[in-house]
Amino acid sequence: MTSETDFFTADDGTPLTLIRVRATEKPAKGPVLLVHGAGVRAEIFRPPVERTLVDDLVENGYDVWLLNWRASIDLDPVPWTLDDAAANDHPAAVRHVDEQTGATSIKAIVHCQGSTSFCMSAVAGLIPEVDTIVSNAVSLHPVIPAFARFKIGAMRPVMQQLTAYLNPAWGDGPDSAFSRVTRGVVMATHRECDNPVCRMVSFTYGSGRPALWSHENLNDATHDWIRGEFARVPMSFFAQMGACVKAGQLVSMSKRPGILPTFADAAPRTDARFALVTGADNRCFLPESQERTFSFLQKHRPGVDSLHVIPGYGHLDIFLGKDAARDVFPLIRAELDRPLQPGPPRHRADSSTGATRRRGPRSKP
């Protein structure tokens, strides 16, 4: 198995990277793009477990591409919104993979805010090259626990006056008076484990002890490894997510061409098939998030998309869990391998005019 890094830029000039992982022999299947969530990086899909999702995909013939979009902690930190990624990062990444591989279609596995922003691109018609999207945790309808609603609705506006970002890495290294006070409060109220970054993650995202996984699903090496896998997330993101939660669907924070003001008020401008996945115990985005998106898709194109609520899993342990290779990865792979139904010609929305440009017909894998 080999890895190589491609450097490219988003459509607004922001530097991004793609990590290509392949077997030594030529992949038997086409490219699949993996997109991480907020405040982590592409390596989140390669935890210290016996078999990662990347291993599983490569060994089953896929040409795997891991995207570091502007929310990645491997890139220089910038303030960002989901609009920035949807309009600039994901279309550029998909085009880059398309150009490098010559593939007629691309599949994607997207997680959390990588999922929301990628789904924004898809339903706006900006990434017609993508024919299958496996979306974990949340897609178009963010529904969060009551305490998380309180944090993002009442606490976030106050905190935004005091800091430009939140950072779970403050658990190991607070860098300001505000971060030291925040860490102190979290350490006093979150006593679920002896990993201070894990405890800060639970404060930053969702609601629970812990919020993003069940400790029972993580091996000791992974629980320690996460200390280096979380960093800053700008308050500009939390402001947008607060607006989305209030609206009951994804909403944009800008009026840029190509980006819709809302994303679940009309039929999606894509013929990509969605496989919606979530853990039944998800305390970051409740399973109702994916259930609402599934109902929305069923309304507009019944029988095309799928929904999987996986018992015993939460948010990120879908990928990090020590038994995920047995419990989750076969399901993801089956969705990627599922034959596509013949569809009409695809169109790409022109981000500068809002018009559409015809693409060739979608081919079966």
Side-chain angles (χ1 to χ4, degrees):
M1 192 178 300
T2 63
S3 297
E4 57 188 50
T5 301
D6 284 4
F7 297 86
F8 71 108
T9 60
D11 288 342
D12 64 352
T14 301
L16 309 175
T17 65
L18 277 159
I19 303 169
R20 188 179 194 180
V21 186
R22 292 181 288 178
T24 52
E25 64 273 10
K26 183 178 179 180
K29 302 175 184 177
V32 57
L33 180 66
L34 275 59
V35 184
H36 62 78
V40 288
R41 58 180 182 150
E43 291 299 315
I44 201 70
F45 295 107
R46 298 204 276 188
V49 294
E50 185 175 348
R51 183 179 181 85
T52 70
L53 177 60
V54 175
D55 297 332
D56 189 88
L57 294 171
V58 170
E59 291 172 16
N60 279 278
Y62 279 99
D63 184 1
V64 177
W65 294 76
L66 309 175
L67 173 63
N68 279 304
W69 57 288
R70 70 186 62 212
S72 172
I73 64 175
D74 273 355
L75 306 176
D76 290 337
V78 295
W80 56 267
T81 65
L82 300 175
D83 299 18
D84 295 322
N88 300 306
D89 296 12
H90 304 317
V94 167
R95 286 199 312 272
H96 185 86
V97 173
D98 195 12
E99 292 163 359
Q100 294 299 309
T101 63
T104 58
S105 62
I106 295 170
K107 303 181 186 300
I109 300 170
V110 296
H111 169 68
C112 195
Q113 304 314 325
S115 177
T116 55
S117 54
F118 200 87
C119 289
M120 288 167 66
S121 292
V123 301
L126 300 179
I127 47 175
E129 300 90 345
V130 178
D131 63 34
T132 303
I133 300 172
V134 178
S135 166
N136 182 54
V138 58
S139 301
L140 300 176
H141 299 81
V143 182
I144 61 179
F147 183 59
R149 289 200 304 273
F150 169 75
K151 288 194 294 182
I152 206 166
M155 294 175 61
R156 189 269 310 164
V158 176
M159 297 181 75
Q160 196 163 346
Q161 303 301 311
L162 302 172
T163 181
Y165 60 91
L166 294 178
N167 189 345
W170 288 342
D172 278 340
D175 56 12
S176 66
F178 174 83
S179 64
R180 287 190 289 273
V181 170
T182 301
R183 182 190 186 280
V185 171
V186 173
M187 294 304 107
T189 56
H190 281 267
R191 299 180 178 274
E192 58 266 31
C193 67
D194 60 2
N195 184 330
V197 172
C198 181
R199 293 154 75 176
M200 283 295 302
V201 166
S202 296
F203 165 77
T204 306
Y205 304 108
S207 176
R209 292 173 168 77
L212 298 195
W213 44 68
S214 167
H215 279 130
E216 290 73 19
N217 286 344
L218 303 188
N219 63 30
D220 291 342
T222 301
H223 189 236
D224 186 60
W225 170 83
I226 61 174
R227 297 176 77 150
E229 297 302 316
F230 287 84
R232 65 172 66 193
V233 179
M235 297 304 292
S236 56
F237 155 69
F238 290 107
Q240 181 170 16
M241 187 47 57
C244 294
V245 168
K246 185 176 181 180
Q249 63 170 298
L250 298 183
V251 297
S252 69
M253 300 295 282
S254 63
K255 296 182 178 180
R256 71 186 69 194
I259 294 296
L260 306 174
T262 60
F263 291 85
D265 284 331
R269 302 175 185 179
T270 178
D271 61 345
R273 184 177 60 81
F274 289 82
L276 308 177
V277 177
T278 189
D281 302 329
N282 198 328
R283 298 298 297 168
C284 183
F285 291 96
L286 298 176
E288 185 182 348
S289 303
Q290 296 291 60
E291 291 165 356
R292 288 190 184 182
T293 297
F294 182 66
S295 295
F296 164 78
L297 293 169
Q298 285 288 91
K299 173 184 175 182
H300 291 287
R301 47 191 214 181
V304 173
D305 309 287
S306 60
L307 170 67
H308 304 276
V309 180
I310 303 175
Y313 283 82
H315 185 73
L316 195 47
D317 46 4
I318 288 284
F319 302 115
L320 305 187
K322 63 181 185 297
D323 295 320
R326 178 195 68 197
D327 300 333
V328 181
F329 300 168
L331 183 154
I332 292 175
R333 195 172 65 252
E335 288 290 359
L336 295 178
D337 290 343
R338 181 176 165 185
L340 299 171
Q341 297 298 319
R346 295 177 295 169
H347 299 77
R348 173 190 289 282
D350 189 320
S351 60
S352 62
T353 66
T356 59
R357 299 198 297 270
R358 184 174 292 273
R359 298 274 298 181
R362 185 175 64 187
S363 62
K364 292 185 180 181

